Amino acid sequence: MLVKIKKSTKLQETLSGYLFVAPAVLILATFTFAPILYSIFLSFHKVRILGEIQYRFVEFKNFARIWSDERFWIALKNTAEYVLLVVPIQTALALVLAALLNAKIKGRKLFRVLLFLPTVTSSAVLVLIFIWIYNSNGLLNNFLAFLHLPTYNWLGDPNVALKSIAIMNIWSTAPFFMVIYLAALQDIPESLYEAARLDGASAIDQFFTITLPLLRPVTLFAVVVGIIGTFQLFDQSYIFSGGSGGPNNSTLTLVLLIYQYAFKNLEMGYASALALILALVILISTLIQRRFFQTEKL
Amino acid sequence: MYNPTQTENRLKILLYAILILYSIVTFIPFAWALSASFKPLDEIVRGGLNFIPQHFTWDNYQKIFTTSPLFGRWLLNSAFVAVCVMGLNLIFNSMAGYALARIKFPGNALLFSLVLAVLMIPGQVTLIPSFLILKKLGWLNTYQGLIVPTGINATFIFMMRQFFLSFPQELEEAAALDGLGRWETFWKIVMPLAKPALAAQAIFVFMSAWNSFLMPLMILSEPEMFTLPLGLNTFKGQYISYWNYIMAASMVFTLPALGVYAFFNRYFISGVTFTGTKG
Amino acid sequence: MKGISLIRAIFVLLLVFLTACGSTDSATVVKLSGWQSSPAEKQLLEGVLRDFEATHPSIKVKFEVITDQYMDAIKTRLIGDAAPDLFYLDALEAPLLMRSAVLEPLDPYIRPEDEVADFEPAFLKAFQNGGKTYGLPKDFSTLALFYNRDLFAQAAISDPPKTWEQFIADAQKLTRDPNNDGRPEQYGFGLIPELARNSFLLKALGRDLTNRQGYAIFAHRRSLKGLQSLVDLYRGTPNGKHSITRAAAVPSDVGASSGSEMLGQGKTAMVIEGSWAIPYFKETFPKLQFATAEIPTPGRKPGTMAYTVAYVMNKQSKHKQAAWEVLAYLTGKEGMEAWAKGGLVLPARRSVLTRLGYDTNPLYAPFVAGAKYATIWQGGETLSIINTHFNNQFLSALLGEQSLQQAMQKAQDSANREIKTSNY
């Protein structure tokens, strides 16, 4: 009798599970899984896609070509550096800002809107403004010169160009994660803090002993999505380098490389192979970070 | 001598200082764009970073609304599409995220890995196949072609799952004892508790639908069907950027997104937490 | 079942929306896609299209403007059989599309009264392949020297430079650094460090960009002389035999987004730009006293770049005859004259060029003269690869990371390696 009930609830559980994911699976299967499968198919072919479509099976030649493609390695190095620079800073910044905005202070509504502005300002406007801020005679250099600090050719110098893009990107995506942290902070019961205060814990103690551990799932989300997003950096390096990835390949990113092959040369087979390798790189990095953070489950 | 109120005050001053400084950093570009939208083109391109227009003008706004008779239509299209996309995402992503976090069913782990895998493939290579699928369905130049494929977002399925993972389980257990099924529990208990997460999701889904450029560019060729970003594209030049129109148009473009943000912001009010979880 | 009913409501709403947009016109609709150099240009074209519709009541033309990522959209739609009937095609992209057999050859439609011989031959040739014509040019632009007359007068220079040596000398005279901080407030020359703007320098001095197989061959000492002088002008060569002071800037150095903006803002005294800059200066910098001249002769022969765009027809078009009539009207004498009289573009027909007086107008004459000796910005299908590598490395030479010879050799080698490895 008891076994029977258990069995039927288990079945019910399974059914409701499928019901809940059905719409998502249907849409993902049609518009995302199918194109990805097609890309996997393409990655083993030499394709002529414009005009009459022609596929020629080339085994692993597209992947072998990646191995000897020096620009792939440069792009990989640039992208990895960029990820390592941006993800920790933007996650930490988002967390700190969210914690500050969650404190009971006057005018926090206004601050919340102000801090969110970079996310809504259109990227065309941002790029224009940053070109002005970053140019040799621009705002930033004048400010640095005033403080007697060294000035840089922010967008022209290959040693700095990618870092300039990184700064701009941190500035414009931190508010995204800030909002998510802000939402997560609402779910932490006030009673926990009250108890801690009674024990004499300071605000900073509370942050590290209560807030941070409870935000773990959301931090994992922020880091993984951050890694994925930064590995797929495209817009800014495209705009700042006019699509070439220069000077001297210093702003060449993997997605920019993929884009060059997919749309400029219409080499869809090779572009797909590159995309799969990029996905693999992202997968490995998320696994590494999981080790690193000792998160119990993903 | 340790004085708690003094430290607290100092902390508060520090906190305000950080917030004000950082707000200035975030506000300046926006303020500059706002002021530029009231300047004639020659004043913008002359360089210089003056915030108060020397020749204040409404012309840019007037021009974008009058030179394109379709401007209002684009605004409407964008709003319609963004609201539909937001609605679908809020429901479907939350359902899927909840199932992945809470319900044990065969294939749960596999599905979650697939959702993550989707995020890892850059959109540049799936663009052409997606286009071919939409074409097969006959959905080019249609609203459903814009809405349905973006009705689900893997990022936010992931996000909702993470939120539901950190949710207290007691309430659901209580609901199960009361004889509520998964479906009722989800709608009556879980979703109301998830308001802050839903608000965050609503803001971002709305914004990404509102800003989306490349896919609409590919599938919409009828000017009547354009969304705002495509419409704005018609104010640009091939060699020369008409910053005055671009700035005015981007203000018209930004304000609804900011409005949506301000509206959903009310769900991030600290201290008002649900009761059942105390203790 | 809240979720389900919401979706149903959305779909009902969609249906209402869709049926409301359906048109019930019986005229043939020809779809045309293109970009614009300014909003005014779009209005001008729409005017011409209205004229056409008035005389051809059975045809309606729908014009769609795509400015960003135009070719990406067109290529994707061609792949999906959803491209417009007619569209703009830049000479640069023509070889790939002509070879892919997605364009309708126009030869069967062309009648004697279309006077194809009237088009500037070099421009027409850019859209021909294997004995077939795939597009009729609509307009073109060449590059010419724009200079600020006030700044020339201040530096006591009476005429624009004619030779390359004069140009280098004038650029230095026109550079001023009033506050002596080592960063000039006014540069002699505004440089655009792209192959699309500079490949005529290679040609005027030595050889072509590529050989017949499409491999890059530009990294030759002799052909690099022109580019070398630009690098010298940008970096300055204080210790050389012929010392040159730094006298050139690129747009991002001065916070501008284009060459014309640099000249307009007074940040530079000379730039090399296309005729599209003329209406821009008139509209945006009404006080600017500018003039144009042919580009100083870089070697023995004069040189400049030419960019041309044609109307082409989609092979999958369902209304080819109607599309042809639109195309023929737009590229015919009457249509082209209406299109080009606003001064926004230079017409591709020689007769229209003369009729509108562009060849005698002092501002436009240098552009018209340049058309005869210009290098058309077009190459084989390998050009996009070469272009990427060139731009990437030229910038690096400009910044002094490596010598120009090294940078160009690197660009050539890596481009050729890529061309070679893509053959399998």
Side-chain angles (χ1 to χ4, degrees), chain B residues 144-172:
Chain B
Q144 65 265 38
L146 281 184
I147 294 167
V148 178
T150 47
I152 282 287
N153 185 317
T155 309
F156 295 108
I157 294 181
F158 180 25
M159 184 186 99
M160 290 315 285
R161 175 186 180 268
Q162 299 305 98
F163 266 95
F164 288 131
L165 275 184
S166 62
F167 252 46
Q169 221 154 349
E170 296 88 343
L171 276 178
E172 291 160 63

PDB file of all heavy atoms in Angstrom, chain B residues 144-172:
ATOM      1  N   GLN B 144       5.469  36.947 -34.291  1.00  0.00           N
ATOM      2  CA  GLN B 144       5.826  35.706 -33.600  1.00  0.00           C
ATOM      3  C   GLN B 144       7.287  35.332 -33.868  1.00  0.00           C
ATOM      4  O   GLN B 144       7.943  34.744 -33.012  1.00  0.00           O
ATOM      5  CB  GLN B 144       4.865  34.546 -33.937  1.00  0.00           C
ATOM      6  CG  GLN B 144       4.876  34.082 -35.370  1.00  0.00           C
ATOM      7  CD  GLN B 144       3.782  34.752 -36.173  1.00  0.00           C
ATOM      8  OE1 GLN B 144       3.505  35.943 -35.978  1.00  0.00           O
ATOM      9  NE2 GLN B 144       3.156  34.028 -37.088  1.00  0.00           N
ATOM     10  N   GLY B 145       7.789  35.706 -35.048  1.00  0.00           N
ATOM     11  CA  GLY B 145       9.196  35.441 -35.350  1.00  0.00           C
ATOM     12  C   GLY B 145      10.136  36.184 -34.404  1.00  0.00           C
ATOM     13  O   GLY B 145      11.232  35.726 -34.105  1.00  0.00           O
ATOM     14  N   LEU B 146       9.683  37.348 -33.931  1.00  0.00           N
ATOM     15  CA  LEU B 146      10.495  38.113 -32.990  1.00  0.00           C
ATOM     16  C   LEU B 146      10.306  37.632 -31.571  1.00  0.00           C
ATOM     17  O   LEU B 146      11.224  37.666 -30.765  1.00  0.00           O
ATOM     18  CB  LEU B 146      10.083  39.592 -33.034  1.00  0.00           C
ATOM     19  CG  LEU B 146      10.591  40.444 -34.157  1.00  0.00           C
ATOM     20  CD1 LEU B 146      10.139  41.877 -33.954  1.00  0.00           C
ATOM     21  CD2 LEU B 146      12.108  40.399 -34.196  1.00  0.00           C
ATOM     22  N   ILE B 147       9.060  37.194 -31.273  1.00  0.00           N
ATOM     23  CA  ILE B 147       8.713  36.931 -29.876  1.00  0.00           C
ATOM     24  C   ILE B 147       9.055  35.506 -29.450  1.00  0.00           C
ATOM     25  O   ILE B 147       9.741  35.297 -28.450  1.00  0.00           O
ATOM     26  CB  ILE B 147       7.213  37.214 -29.643  1.00  0.00           C
ATOM     27  CG1 ILE B 147       6.931  38.702 -29.832  1.00  0.00           C
ATOM     28  CG2 ILE B 147       6.804  36.776 -28.247  1.00  0.00           C
ATOM     29  CD1 ILE B 147       5.481  39.052 -29.939  1.00  0.00           C
ATOM     30  N   VAL B 148       8.583  34.531 -30.220  1.00  0.00           N
ATOM     31  CA  VAL B 148       8.666  33.142 -29.745  1.00  0.00           C
ATOM     32  C   VAL B 148      10.113  32.668 -29.508  1.00  0.00           C
ATOM     33  O   VAL B 148      10.403  32.133 -28.441  1.00  0.00           O
ATOM     34  CB  VAL B 148       7.892  32.195 -30.689  1.00  0.00           C
ATOM     35  CG1 VAL B 148       8.029  30.757 -30.211  1.00  0.00           C
ATOM     36  CG2 VAL B 148       6.431  32.593 -30.731  1.00  0.00           C
ATOM     37  N   PRO B 149      11.037  32.877 -30.471  1.00  0.00           N
ATOM     38  CA  PRO B 149      12.397  32.371 -30.226  1.00  0.00           C
ATOM     39  C   PRO B 149      13.055  32.980 -28.995  1.00  0.00           C
ATOM     40  O   PRO B 149      13.897  32.356 -28.367  1.00  0.00           O
ATOM     41  CB  PRO B 149      13.168  32.775 -31.482  1.00  0.00           C
ATOM     42  CG  PRO B 149      12.140  32.975 -32.509  1.00  0.00           C
ATOM     43  CD  PRO B 149      10.922  33.471 -31.803  1.00  0.00           C
ATOM     44  N   THR B 150      12.650  34.204 -28.614  1.00  0.00           N
ATOM     45  CA  THR B 150      13.242  34.820 -27.432  1.00  0.00           C
ATOM     46  C   THR B 150      12.329  34.664 -26.217  1.00  0.00           C
ATOM     47  O   THR B 150      12.567  35.272 -25.182  1.00  0.00           O
ATOM     48  CB  THR B 150      13.524  36.315 -27.671  1.00  0.00           C
ATOM     49  OG1 THR B 150      12.355  36.893 -28.261  1.00  0.00           O
ATOM     50  CG2 THR B 150      14.699  36.506 -28.584  1.00  0.00           C
ATOM     51  N   GLY B 151      11.287  33.848 -26.354  1.00  0.00           N
ATOM     52  CA  GLY B 151      10.350  33.630 -25.250  1.00  0.00           C
ATOM     53  C   GLY B 151      10.969  32.841 -24.112  1.00  0.00           C
ATOM     54  O   GLY B 151      10.369  32.713 -23.039  1.00  0.00           O
ATOM     55  N   ILE B 152      12.148  32.322 -24.367  1.00  0.00           N
ATOM     56  CA  ILE B 152      12.886  31.562 -23.357  1.00  0.00           C
ATOM     57  C   ILE B 152      14.301  32.112 -23.347  1.00  0.00           C
ATOM     58  O   ILE B 152      14.830  32.476 -24.392  1.00  0.00           O
ATOM     59  CB  ILE B 152      12.957  30.077 -23.792  1.00  0.00           C
ATOM     60  CG1 ILE B 152      11.647  29.394 -23.510  1.00  0.00           C
ATOM     61  CG2 ILE B 152      14.085  29.343 -23.094  1.00  0.00           C
ATOM     62  CD1 ILE B 152      11.421  29.146 -22.051  1.00  0.00           C
ATOM     63  N   ASN B 153      14.885  32.191 -22.170  1.00  0.00           N
ATOM     64  CA  ASN B 153      16.255  32.655 -22.118  1.00  0.00           C
ATOM     65  C   ASN B 153      17.039  31.780 -21.159  1.00  0.00           C
ATOM     66  O   ASN B 153      16.747  31.735 -19.965  1.00  0.00           O
ATOM     67  CB  ASN B 153      16.272  34.116 -21.662  1.00  0.00           C
ATOM     68  CG  ASN B 153      17.655  34.714 -21.705  1.00  0.00           C
ATOM     69  OD1 ASN B 153      18.623  34.073 -21.305  1.00  0.00           O
ATOM     70  ND2 ASN B 153      17.759  35.919 -22.202  1.00  0.00           N
ATOM     71  N   ALA B 154      18.026  31.079 -21.693  1.00  0.00           N
ATOM     72  CA  ALA B 154      18.776  30.112 -20.887  1.00  0.00           C
ATOM     73  C   ALA B 154      19.434  30.772 -19.679  1.00  0.00           C
ATOM     74  O   ALA B 154      19.485  30.187 -18.596  1.00  0.00           O
ATOM     75  CB  ALA B 154      19.819  29.417 -21.749  1.00  0.00           C
ATOM     76  N   THR B 155      19.916  32.014 -19.853  1.00  0.00           N
ATOM     77  CA  THR B 155      20.551  32.705 -18.734  1.00  0.00           C
ATOM     78  C   THR B 155      19.602  32.798 -17.539  1.00  0.00           C
ATOM     79  O   THR B 155      19.996  32.578 -16.398  1.00  0.00           O
ATOM     80  CB  THR B 155      20.951  34.135 -19.143  1.00  0.00           C
ATOM     81  OG1 THR B 155      21.697  34.072 -20.341  1.00  0.00           O
ATOM     82  CG2 THR B 155      21.773  34.805 -18.075  1.00  0.00           C
ATOM     83  N   PHE B 156      18.344  33.120 -17.838  1.00  0.00           N
ATOM     84  CA  PHE B 156      17.428  33.358 -16.726  1.00  0.00           C
ATOM     85  C   PHE B 156      16.808  32.070 -16.197  1.00  0.00           C
ATOM     86  O   PHE B 156      16.355  32.022 -15.056  1.00  0.00           O
ATOM     87  CB  PHE B 156      16.401  34.411 -17.115  1.00  0.00           C
ATOM     88  CG  PHE B 156      17.049  35.735 -17.338  1.00  0.00           C
ATOM     89  CD1 PHE B 156      17.192  36.260 -18.618  1.00  0.00           C
ATOM     90  CD2 PHE B 156      17.616  36.422 -16.282  1.00  0.00           C
ATOM     91  CE1 PHE B 156      17.852  37.449 -18.819  1.00  0.00           C
ATOM     92  CE2 PHE B 156      18.276  37.614 -16.477  1.00  0.00           C
ATOM     93  CZ  PHE B 156      18.397  38.133 -17.746  1.00  0.00           C
ATOM     94  N   ILE B 157      16.786  31.016 -17.016  1.00  0.00           N
ATOM     95  CA  ILE B 157      16.430  29.711 -16.459  1.00  0.00           C
ATOM     96  C   ILE B 157      17.463  29.366 -15.396  1.00  0.00           C
ATOM     97  O   ILE B 157      17.141  28.972 -14.277  1.00  0.00           O
ATOM     98  CB  ILE B 157      16.419  28.621 -17.557  1.00  0.00           C
ATOM     99  CG1 ILE B 157      15.305  28.886 -18.552  1.00  0.00           C
ATOM    100  CG2 ILE B 157      16.240  27.237 -16.918  1.00  0.00           C
ATOM    101  CD1 ILE B 157      15.217  27.853 -19.656  1.00  0.00           C
ATOM    102  N   PHE B 158      18.720  29.574 -15.750  1.00  0.00           N
ATOM    103  CA  PHE B 158      19.832  29.340 -14.838  1.00  0.00           C
ATOM    104  C   PHE B 158      19.682  30.204 -13.581  1.00  0.00           C
ATOM    105  O   PHE B 158      19.773  29.725 -12.447  1.00  0.00           O
ATOM    106  CB  PHE B 158      21.137  29.630 -15.591  1.00  0.00           C
ATOM    107  CG  PHE B 158      22.394  29.441 -14.806  1.00  0.00           C
ATOM    108  CD1 PHE B 158      22.462  28.580 -13.725  1.00  0.00           C
ATOM    109  CD2 PHE B 158      23.546  30.135 -15.187  1.00  0.00           C
ATOM    110  CE1 PHE B 158      23.645  28.415 -13.015  1.00  0.00           C
ATOM    111  CE2 PHE B 158      24.734  29.981 -14.488  1.00  0.00           C
ATOM    112  CZ  PHE B 158      24.769  29.123 -13.393  1.00  0.00           C
ATOM    113  N   MET B 159      19.386  31.478 -13.798  1.00  0.00           N
ATOM    114  CA  MET B 159      19.264  32.385 -12.660  1.00  0.00           C
ATOM    115  C   MET B 159      18.131  31.956 -11.738  1.00  0.00           C
ATOM    116  O   MET B 159      18.298  31.895 -10.512  1.00  0.00           O
ATOM    117  CB  MET B 159      19.030  33.814 -13.131  1.00  0.00           C
ATOM    118  CG  MET B 159      18.990  34.818 -11.992  1.00  0.00           C
ATOM    119  SD  MET B 159      18.552  36.484 -12.526  1.00  0.00           S
ATOM    120  CE  MET B 159      16.823  36.514 -12.109  1.00  0.00           C
ATOM    121  N   MET B 160      16.968  31.653 -12.306  1.00  0.00           N
ATOM    122  CA  MET B 160      15.825  31.273 -11.479  1.00  0.00           C
ATOM    123  C   MET B 160      16.140  29.989 -10.707  1.00  0.00           C
ATOM    124  O   MET B 160      15.766  29.852  -9.550  1.00  0.00           O
ATOM    125  CB  MET B 160      14.568  31.093 -12.331  1.00  0.00           C
ATOM    126  CG  MET B 160      13.995  32.372 -12.913  1.00  0.00           C
ATOM    127  SD  MET B 160      13.906  33.764 -11.764  1.00  0.00           S
ATOM    128  CE  MET B 160      12.516  33.288 -10.744  1.00  0.00           C
ATOM    129  N   ARG B 161      16.823  29.079 -11.361  1.00  0.00           N
ATOM    130  CA  ARG B 161      17.195  27.850 -10.661  1.00  0.00           C
ATOM    131  C   ARG B 161      18.038  28.173  -9.428  1.00  0.00           C
ATOM    132  O   ARG B 161      17.801  27.640  -8.337  1.00  0.00           O
ATOM    133  CB  ARG B 161      17.984  26.937 -11.598  1.00  0.00           C
ATOM    134  CG  ARG B 161      18.515  25.688 -10.919  1.00  0.00           C
ATOM    135  CD  ARG B 161      19.399  24.912 -11.869  1.00  0.00           C
ATOM    136  NE  ARG B 161      19.938  23.700 -11.259  1.00  0.00           N
ATOM    137  CZ  ARG B 161      21.100  23.637 -10.629  1.00  0.00           C
ATOM    138  NH1 ARG B 161      21.838  24.718 -10.486  1.00  0.00           N
ATOM    139  NH2 ARG B 161      21.524  22.497 -10.136  1.00  0.00           N
ATOM    140  N   GLN B 162      19.006  29.075  -9.607  1.00  0.00           N
ATOM    141  CA  GLN B 162      19.872  29.409  -8.482  1.00  0.00           C
ATOM    142  C   GLN B 162      19.080  30.067  -7.356  1.00  0.00           C
ATOM    143  O   GLN B 162      19.320  29.826  -6.189  1.00  0.00           O
ATOM    144  CB  GLN B 162      21.010  30.328  -8.933  1.00  0.00           C
ATOM    145  CG  GLN B 162      21.930  29.752  -9.981  1.00  0.00           C
ATOM    146  CD  GLN B 162      22.532  28.427  -9.580  1.00  0.00           C
ATOM    147  OE1 GLN B 162      22.034  27.385  -9.978  1.00  0.00           O
ATOM    148  NE2 GLN B 162      23.584  28.466  -8.781  1.00  0.00           N
ATOM    149  N   PHE B 163      18.110  30.904  -7.731  1.00  0.00           N
ATOM    150  CA  PHE B 163      17.285  31.543  -6.717  1.00  0.00           C
ATOM    151  C   PHE B 163      16.448  30.504  -5.960  1.00  0.00           C
ATOM    152  O   PHE B 163      16.376  30.518  -4.740  1.00  0.00           O
ATOM    153  CB  PHE B 163      16.358  32.577  -7.361  1.00  0.00           C
ATOM    154  CG  PHE B 163      16.939  33.949  -7.336  1.00  0.00           C
ATOM    155  CD1 PHE B 163      17.637  34.452  -8.422  1.00  0.00           C
ATOM    156  CD2 PHE B 163      16.807  34.745  -6.207  1.00  0.00           C
ATOM    157  CE1 PHE B 163      18.184  35.710  -8.389  1.00  0.00           C
ATOM    158  CE2 PHE B 163      17.347  36.011  -6.167  1.00  0.00           C
ATOM    159  CZ  PHE B 163      18.037  36.497  -7.260  1.00  0.00           C
ATOM    160  N   PHE B 164      15.829  29.602  -6.719  1.00  0.00           N
ATOM    161  CA  PHE B 164      14.961  28.615  -6.068  1.00  0.00           C
ATOM    162  C   PHE B 164      15.782  27.677  -5.184  1.00  0.00           C
ATOM    163  O   PHE B 164      15.287  27.194  -4.171  1.00  0.00           O
ATOM    164  CB  PHE B 164      14.180  27.814  -7.109  1.00  0.00           C
ATOM    165  CG  PHE B 164      13.099  28.626  -7.778  1.00  0.00           C
ATOM    166  CD1 PHE B 164      12.970  28.658  -9.161  1.00  0.00           C
ATOM    167  CD2 PHE B 164      12.200  29.364  -7.015  1.00  0.00           C
ATOM    168  CE1 PHE B 164      11.983  29.411  -9.769  1.00  0.00           C
ATOM    169  CE2 PHE B 164      11.201  30.117  -7.623  1.00  0.00           C
ATOM    170  CZ  PHE B 164      11.101  30.144  -9.005  1.00  0.00           C
ATOM    171  N   LEU B 165      17.041  27.451  -5.561  1.00  0.00           N
ATOM    172  CA  LEU B 165      17.893  26.600  -4.733  1.00  0.00           C
ATOM    173  C   LEU B 165      18.084  27.197  -3.344  1.00  0.00           C
ATOM    174  O   LEU B 165      18.137  26.485  -2.346  1.00  0.00           O
ATOM    175  CB  LEU B 165      19.278  26.438  -5.388  1.00  0.00           C
ATOM    176  CG  LEU B 165      19.449  25.365  -6.438  1.00  0.00           C
ATOM    177  CD1 LEU B 165      20.900  25.323  -6.881  1.00  0.00           C
ATOM    178  CD2 LEU B 165      19.027  24.002  -5.892  1.00  0.00           C
ATOM    179  N   SER B 166      18.175  28.529  -3.280  1.00  0.00           N
ATOM    180  CA  SER B 166      18.444  29.157  -1.988  1.00  0.00           C
ATOM    181  C   SER B 166      17.144  29.437  -1.225  1.00  0.00           C
ATOM    182  O   SER B 166      17.168  30.014  -0.159  1.00  0.00           O
ATOM    183  CB  SER B 166      19.238  30.443  -2.187  1.00  0.00           C
ATOM    184  OG  SER B 166      18.490  31.346  -2.946  1.00  0.00           O
ATOM    185  N   PHE B 167      16.016  29.028  -1.791  1.00  0.00           N
ATOM    186  CA  PHE B 167      14.724  29.253  -1.141  1.00  0.00           C
ATOM    187  C   PHE B 167      14.534  28.288   0.016  1.00  0.00           C
ATOM    188  O   PHE B 167      14.940  27.138  -0.057  1.00  0.00           O
ATOM    189  CB  PHE B 167      13.618  28.983  -2.154  1.00  0.00           C
ATOM    190  CG  PHE B 167      12.942  30.218  -2.607  1.00  0.00           C
ATOM    191  CD1 PHE B 167      13.680  31.332  -2.970  1.00  0.00           C
ATOM    192  CD2 PHE B 167      11.559  30.272  -2.681  1.00  0.00           C
ATOM    193  CE1 PHE B 167      13.044  32.470  -3.405  1.00  0.00           C
ATOM    194  CE2 PHE B 167      10.938  31.411  -3.114  1.00  0.00           C
ATOM    195  CZ  PHE B 167      11.668  32.512  -3.473  1.00  0.00           C
ATOM    196  N   PRO B 168      13.856  28.725   1.090  1.00  0.00           N
ATOM    197  CA  PRO B 168      13.528  27.784   2.165  1.00  0.00           C
ATOM    198  C   PRO B 168      12.507  26.760   1.682  1.00  0.00           C
ATOM    199  O   PRO B 168      11.535  27.111   1.015  1.00  0.00           O
ATOM    200  CB  PRO B 168      12.929  28.680   3.250  1.00  0.00           C
ATOM    201  CG  PRO B 168      12.487  29.906   2.544  1.00  0.00           C
ATOM    202  CD  PRO B 168      13.393  30.082   1.373  1.00  0.00           C
ATOM    203  N   GLN B 169      12.729  25.500   2.038  1.00  0.00           N
ATOM    204  CA  GLN B 169      11.894  24.440   1.505  1.00  0.00           C
ATOM    205  C   GLN B 169      10.646  24.185   2.362  1.00  0.00           C
ATOM    206  O   GLN B 169       9.711  23.520   1.927  1.00  0.00           O
ATOM    207  CB  GLN B 169      12.721  23.149   1.414  1.00  0.00           C
ATOM    208  CG  GLN B 169      12.466  22.381   0.149  1.00  0.00           C
ATOM    209  CD  GLN B 169      13.660  21.516  -0.229  1.00  0.00           C
ATOM    210  OE1 GLN B 169      14.734  21.639   0.327  1.00  0.00           O
ATOM    211  NE2 GLN B 169      13.462  20.636  -1.173  1.00  0.00           N
ATOM    212  N   GLU B 170      10.652  24.731   3.602  1.00  0.00           N
ATOM    213  CA  GLU B 170       9.599  24.381   4.563  1.00  0.00           C
ATOM    214  C   GLU B 170       8.199  24.697   4.041  1.00  0.00           C
ATOM    215  O   GLU B 170       7.254  23.930   4.238  1.00  0.00           O
ATOM    216  CB  GLU B 170       9.803  25.124   5.886  1.00  0.00           C
ATOM    217  CG  GLU B 170      11.071  24.761   6.635  1.00  0.00           C
ATOM    218  CD  GLU B 170      12.249  25.602   6.214  1.00  0.00           C
ATOM    219  OE1 GLU B 170      12.192  26.244   5.140  1.00  0.00           O
ATOM    220  OE2 GLU B 170      13.249  25.629   6.944  1.00  0.00           O
ATOM    221  N   LEU B 171       8.099  25.849   3.369  1.00  0.00           N
ATOM    222  CA  LEU B 171       6.770  26.277   2.928  1.00  0.00           C
ATOM    223  C   LEU B 171       6.171  25.297   1.933  1.00  0.00           C
ATOM    224  O   LEU B 171       4.989  24.977   1.977  1.00  0.00           O
ATOM    225  CB  LEU B 171       6.860  27.649   2.274  1.00  0.00           C
ATOM    226  CG  LEU B 171       6.821  28.829   3.225  1.00  0.00           C
ATOM    227  CD1 LEU B 171       6.968  30.112   2.466  1.00  0.00           C
ATOM    228  CD2 LEU B 171       5.516  28.799   4.008  1.00  0.00           C
ATOM    229  N   GLU B 172       7.018  24.837   1.018  1.00  0.00           N
ATOM    230  CA  GLU B 172       6.526  23.890   0.029  1.00  0.00           C
ATOM    231  C   GLU B 172       6.125  22.589   0.674  1.00  0.00           C
ATOM    232  O   GLU B 172       5.123  21.978   0.308  1.00  0.00           O
ATOM    233  CB  GLU B 172       7.595  23.632  -1.028  1.00  0.00           C
ATOM    234  CG  GLU B 172       7.831  24.839  -1.902  1.00  0.00           C
ATOM    235  CD  GLU B 172       9.177  24.755  -2.592  1.00  0.00           C
ATOM    236  OE1 GLU B 172       9.346  23.826  -3.388  1.00  0.00           O
ATOM    237  OE2 GLU B 172      10.041  25.594  -2.308  1.00  0.00           O
TER     238      GLU B 172
END
